[in-house]
Each structure stands twice: as structure tokens, then as C-alpha cells.
Short mmCIF file of all heavy atoms in Angstrom, two decimals:
data_model
loop_
_atom_site.label_atom_id
_atom_site.label_comp_id
_atom_site.label_asym_id
_atom_site.label_seq_id
_atom_site.Cartn_x
_atom_site.Cartn_y
_atom_site.Cartn_z
N ARG S 63 -25.69 -216.60 -15.40
CA ARG S 63 -25.09 -216.64 -14.07
C ARG S 63 -24.63 -215.24 -13.72
O ARG S 63 -23.99 -214.52 -14.52
CB ARG S 63 -23.89 -217.59 -14.09
CG ARG S 63 -23.32 -217.86 -12.70
CD ARG S 63 -22.24 -218.87 -12.76
NE ARG S 63 -22.59 -220.02 -13.57
CZ ARG S 63 -21.72 -220.73 -14.30
NH1 ARG S 63 -20.46 -220.37 -14.33
NH2 ARG S 63 -22.14 -221.77 -14.98
N LYS S 64 -24.94 -214.80 -12.55
CA LYS S 64 -24.53 -213.47 -12.04
C LYS S 64 -23.08 -213.57 -11.58
O LYS S 64 -22.54 -214.61 -11.27
CB LYS S 64 -25.43 -213.04 -10.93
CG LYS S 64 -26.92 -212.95 -11.30
CD LYS S 64 -27.11 -211.96 -12.42
CE LYS S 64 -28.54 -211.90 -12.84
NZ LYS S 64 -28.82 -211.51 -14.17
N ALA S 65 -22.49 -212.40 -11.51
CA ALA S 65 -21.10 -212.28 -11.01
C ALA S 65 -20.99 -212.86 -9.63
O ALA S 65 -21.88 -212.72 -8.81
CB ALA S 65 -20.64 -210.86 -11.01
N GLN S 66 -19.89 -213.58 -9.34
CA GLN S 66 -19.69 -214.22 -8.06
C GLN S 66 -19.67 -213.19 -6.95
O GLN S 66 -20.24 -213.36 -5.91
CB GLN S 66 -18.35 -214.98 -8.08
CG GLN S 66 -18.35 -216.14 -9.09
CD GLN S 66 -19.05 -217.36 -8.57
OE1 GLN S 66 -19.03 -217.65 -7.39
NE2 GLN S 66 -19.69 -218.07 -9.45
N ASP S 67 -18.99 -212.06 -7.19
CA ASP S 67 -18.83 -211.02 -6.17
C ASP S 67 -19.30 -209.71 -6.80
O ASP S 67 -18.48 -208.93 -7.25
CB ASP S 67 -17.41 -211.00 -5.67
CG ASP S 67 -17.26 -210.03 -4.52
OD1 ASP S 67 -18.23 -209.44 -4.05
OD2 ASP S 67 -16.08 -209.83 -4.11
N GLU S 68 -20.59 -209.42 -6.79
CA GLU S 68 -21.09 -208.28 -7.53
C GLU S 68 -20.57 -206.98 -6.93
O GLU S 68 -20.45 -205.99 -7.61
CB GLU S 68 -22.63 -208.31 -7.54
CG GLU S 68 -23.16 -209.46 -8.39
CD GLU S 68 -24.68 -209.49 -8.48
OE1 GLU S 68 -25.30 -208.46 -8.16
OE2 GLU S 68 -25.23 -210.49 -8.83
N GLU S 69 -20.32 -206.96 -5.63
CA GLU S 69 -19.85 -205.68 -5.00
C GLU S 69 -18.39 -205.37 -5.40
O GLU S 69 -18.05 -204.18 -5.51
CB GLU S 69 -19.92 -205.84 -3.50
CG GLU S 69 -21.36 -205.90 -2.97
CD GLU S 69 -21.43 -206.08 -1.46
OE1 GLU S 69 -20.42 -205.80 -0.81
OE2 GLU S 69 -22.49 -206.41 -1.00
N ALA S 70 -17.59 -206.39 -5.62
CA ALA S 70 -16.21 -206.15 -5.92
C ALA S 70 -15.97 -205.80 -7.36
O ALA S 70 -14.93 -205.27 -7.74
CB ALA S 70 -15.38 -207.36 -5.55
N GLN S 71 -16.92 -206.07 -8.24
CA GLN S 71 -16.76 -205.82 -9.66
C GLN S 71 -17.58 -204.66 -10.14
O GLN S 71 -18.67 -204.47 -9.67
CB GLN S 71 -17.11 -207.10 -10.43
CG GLN S 71 -16.18 -208.25 -10.08
CD GLN S 71 -16.48 -209.46 -10.99
OE1 GLN S 71 -17.26 -209.38 -11.93
NE2 GLN S 71 -15.85 -210.54 -10.70
N PRO S 72 -17.08 -203.92 -11.11
CA PRO S 72 -17.90 -202.86 -11.69
C PRO S 72 -19.06 -203.42 -12.41
O PRO S 72 -19.04 -204.56 -12.86
CB PRO S 72 -16.93 -202.11 -12.65
CG PRO S 72 -15.90 -203.12 -12.94
CD PRO S 72 -15.78 -204.01 -11.74
N PRO S 73 -20.15 -202.67 -12.55
CA PRO S 73 -21.32 -203.21 -13.27
C PRO S 73 -20.95 -203.47 -14.70
O PRO S 73 -20.22 -202.84 -15.37
CB PRO S 73 -22.38 -202.08 -13.17
CG PRO S 73 -21.62 -200.88 -12.70
CD PRO S 73 -20.33 -201.31 -12.09
N VAL S 74 -21.47 -204.58 -15.24
CA VAL S 74 -21.24 -205.01 -16.60
C VAL S 74 -22.34 -204.37 -17.48
O VAL S 74 -23.51 -204.48 -17.19
CB VAL S 74 -21.30 -206.52 -16.72
CG1 VAL S 74 -21.11 -207.01 -18.14
CG2 VAL S 74 -20.28 -207.18 -15.88
N PRO S 75 -21.92 -203.65 -18.57
CA PRO S 75 -22.88 -202.96 -19.37
C PRO S 75 -23.91 -203.89 -20.06
O PRO S 75 -25.05 -203.58 -20.14
CB PRO S 75 -22.05 -202.16 -20.39
CG PRO S 75 -20.67 -202.68 -20.25
CD PRO S 75 -20.54 -203.48 -18.99
N SER S 76 -23.49 -205.07 -20.41
CA SER S 76 -24.37 -206.06 -20.99
C SER S 76 -23.91 -207.42 -20.56
O SER S 76 -22.75 -207.73 -20.63
CB SER S 76 -24.35 -205.95 -22.54
OG SER S 76 -25.06 -207.08 -23.06
N THR S 77 -24.89 -208.21 -20.08
CA THR S 77 -24.52 -209.56 -19.60
C THR S 77 -24.50 -210.50 -20.82
O THR S 77 -23.97 -211.57 -20.71
CB THR S 77 -25.53 -210.05 -18.62
OG1 THR S 77 -26.81 -210.13 -19.25
CG2 THR S 77 -25.56 -209.16 -17.42
N GLY S 78 -25.07 -210.11 -21.90
CA GLY S 78 -25.20 -210.96 -23.10
C GLY S 78 -26.47 -211.70 -23.15
O GLY S 78 -26.81 -212.39 -24.15
N GLU S 79 -27.33 -211.53 -22.13
CA GLU S 79 -28.66 -212.22 -22.10
C GLU S 79 -29.55 -211.84 -23.24
O GLU S 79 -30.16 -212.68 -23.91
CB GLU S 79 -29.35 -211.99 -20.78
CG GLU S 79 -28.71 -212.80 -19.63
CD GLU S 79 -29.54 -212.68 -18.36
OE1 GLU S 79 -30.61 -213.29 -18.27
OE2 GLU S 79 -29.04 -211.96 -17.44
N LEU S 80 -29.62 -210.52 -23.56
CA LEU S 80 -30.46 -210.03 -24.59
C LEU S 80 -29.99 -210.60 -25.95
O LEU S 80 -30.75 -211.11 -26.73
CB LEU S 80 -30.55 -208.53 -24.62
CG LEU S 80 -31.31 -207.89 -25.76
CD1 LEU S 80 -32.77 -208.27 -25.74
CD2 LEU S 80 -31.20 -206.40 -25.72
N GLU S 81 -28.69 -210.47 -26.18
CA GLU S 81 -28.09 -210.97 -27.43
C GLU S 81 -28.25 -212.51 -27.59
O GLU S 81 -28.58 -212.99 -28.70
CB GLU S 81 -26.59 -210.60 -27.54
CG GLU S 81 -26.38 -209.08 -27.56
CD GLU S 81 -26.38 -208.38 -26.20
OE1 GLU S 81 -26.64 -209.06 -25.15
OE2 GLU S 81 -26.06 -207.19 -26.17
N LEU S 82 -28.14 -213.23 -26.50
CA LEU S 82 -28.31 -214.68 -26.53
C LEU S 82 -29.81 -214.99 -26.89
O LEU S 82 -30.02 -215.87 -27.74
CB LEU S 82 -28.00 -215.28 -25.20
CG LEU S 82 -28.09 -216.80 -25.08
CD1 LEU S 82 -26.88 -217.45 -25.66
CD2 LEU S 82 -28.23 -217.19 -23.65
N ALA S 83 -30.73 -214.30 -26.25
CA ALA S 83 -32.17 -214.51 -26.56
C ALA S 83 -32.50 -214.20 -28.03
O ALA S 83 -33.24 -214.89 -28.66
CB ALA S 83 -33.01 -213.72 -25.60
N ARG S 84 -31.92 -213.08 -28.50
CA ARG S 84 -32.21 -212.71 -29.89
C ARG S 84 -31.65 -213.71 -30.92
O ARG S 84 -32.28 -214.04 -31.87
CB ARG S 84 -31.65 -211.29 -30.18
CG ARG S 84 -32.36 -210.22 -29.37
CD ARG S 84 -32.03 -208.82 -29.84
NE ARG S 84 -32.63 -208.61 -31.16
CZ ARG S 84 -31.98 -207.97 -32.15
NH1 ARG S 84 -30.74 -207.54 -31.98
NH2 ARG S 84 -32.53 -207.86 -33.32
N LEU S 85 -30.49 -214.25 -30.61
CA LEU S 85 -29.93 -215.29 -31.48
C LEU S 85 -30.71 -216.57 -31.43
O LEU S 85 -30.93 -217.26 -32.42
CB LEU S 85 -28.43 -215.58 -31.18
CG LEU S 85 -27.75 -216.63 -32.08
CD1 LEU S 85 -27.79 -216.22 -33.55
CD2 LEU S 85 -26.31 -216.81 -31.61
N ASP S 86 -31.21 -216.88 -30.21
CA ASP S 86 -32.03 -218.07 -30.06
C ASP S 86 -33.34 -217.96 -30.83
O ASP S 86 -33.88 -218.93 -31.37
CB ASP S 86 -32.34 -218.31 -28.56
CG ASP S 86 -32.82 -219.71 -28.24
OD1 ASP S 86 -32.44 -220.62 -28.96
OD2 ASP S 86 -33.59 -219.85 -27.28
N GLU S 87 -33.85 -216.72 -30.92
CA GLU S 87 -35.12 -216.46 -31.70
C GLU S 87 -34.90 -216.68 -33.24
O GLU S 87 -35.75 -217.17 -33.91
CB GLU S 87 -35.62 -215.05 -31.50
CG GLU S 87 -36.18 -214.81 -30.11
CD GLU S 87 -36.45 -213.34 -29.84
OE1 GLU S 87 -36.20 -212.48 -30.79
OE2 GLU S 87 -36.89 -212.99 -28.77
N ASP S 88 -33.71 -216.25 -33.70
CA ASP S 88 -33.39 -216.36 -35.13
C ASP S 88 -31.93 -216.77 -35.29
O ASP S 88 -31.03 -215.94 -35.51
CB ASP S 88 -33.61 -215.02 -35.79
CG ASP S 88 -33.47 -215.11 -37.32
OD1 ASP S 88 -33.17 -216.19 -37.85
OD2 ASP S 88 -33.61 -214.03 -38.01
N PRO S 89 -31.63 -218.09 -35.08
CA PRO S 89 -30.25 -218.54 -35.14
C PRO S 89 -29.58 -218.43 -36.49
O PRO S 89 -28.39 -218.60 -36.59
CB PRO S 89 -30.37 -219.96 -34.67
CG PRO S 89 -31.76 -220.41 -34.93
CD PRO S 89 -32.60 -219.15 -34.87
N HIS S 90 -30.34 -218.11 -37.55
CA HIS S 90 -29.72 -218.00 -38.88
C HIS S 90 -29.35 -216.55 -39.19
O HIS S 90 -28.86 -216.30 -40.32
CB HIS S 90 -30.70 -218.55 -39.94
CG HIS S 90 -30.96 -220.00 -39.83
ND1 HIS S 90 -30.05 -220.96 -40.20
CD2 HIS S 90 -32.03 -220.66 -39.28
CE1 HIS S 90 -30.54 -222.14 -39.95
NE2 HIS S 90 -31.71 -222.01 -39.40
N ALA S 91 -29.49 -215.63 -38.26
CA ALA S 91 -29.17 -214.25 -38.44
C ALA S 91 -27.72 -213.96 -38.07
O ALA S 91 -27.42 -213.89 -36.84
CB ALA S 91 -30.11 -213.35 -37.70
N PRO S 92 -26.81 -213.77 -39.04
CA PRO S 92 -25.43 -213.57 -38.69
C PRO S 92 -25.15 -212.33 -37.88
O PRO S 92 -24.24 -212.32 -37.01
CB PRO S 92 -24.71 -213.52 -40.03
CG PRO S 92 -25.72 -213.37 -41.06
CD PRO S 92 -27.05 -213.81 -40.46
N GLU S 93 -25.97 -211.29 -38.03
CA GLU S 93 -25.74 -210.10 -37.28
C GLU S 93 -26.09 -210.30 -35.77
O GLU S 93 -25.44 -209.70 -34.91
CB GLU S 93 -26.59 -208.90 -37.82
CG GLU S 93 -28.07 -209.01 -37.72
CD GLU S 93 -28.73 -209.90 -38.74
OE1 GLU S 93 -28.05 -210.45 -39.65
OE2 GLU S 93 -29.96 -210.05 -38.67
N ARG S 94 -27.02 -211.20 -35.51
CA ARG S 94 -27.31 -211.54 -34.13
C ARG S 94 -26.23 -212.35 -33.47
O ARG S 94 -25.87 -212.18 -32.32
CB ARG S 94 -28.66 -212.26 -34.03
CG ARG S 94 -29.86 -211.38 -34.35
CD ARG S 94 -31.18 -212.07 -34.19
NE ARG S 94 -32.23 -211.14 -34.58
CZ ARG S 94 -33.45 -211.29 -34.21
NH1 ARG S 94 -33.84 -212.32 -33.48
NH2 ARG S 94 -34.38 -210.40 -34.59
#
């Protein structure tokens, strides 16, 4: 989900999407 008011908030460096996808690929990897 994107920020409700993207103009009012500073850009987020990471939304967590990449990290979520990587954990989904290998859910047994504690570092992910």
C-alpha cells in the first residue's frame, strides 16, 4: 500500500517490498 498522502510525507527509503519478496522466496532464511 502506498502512503495515503505522498506529497505530505518525505520519501521512504525502502517500502519493505523487496525484503518481503525475498523472505517469501526463502522463508527459512533468518537473515531475510
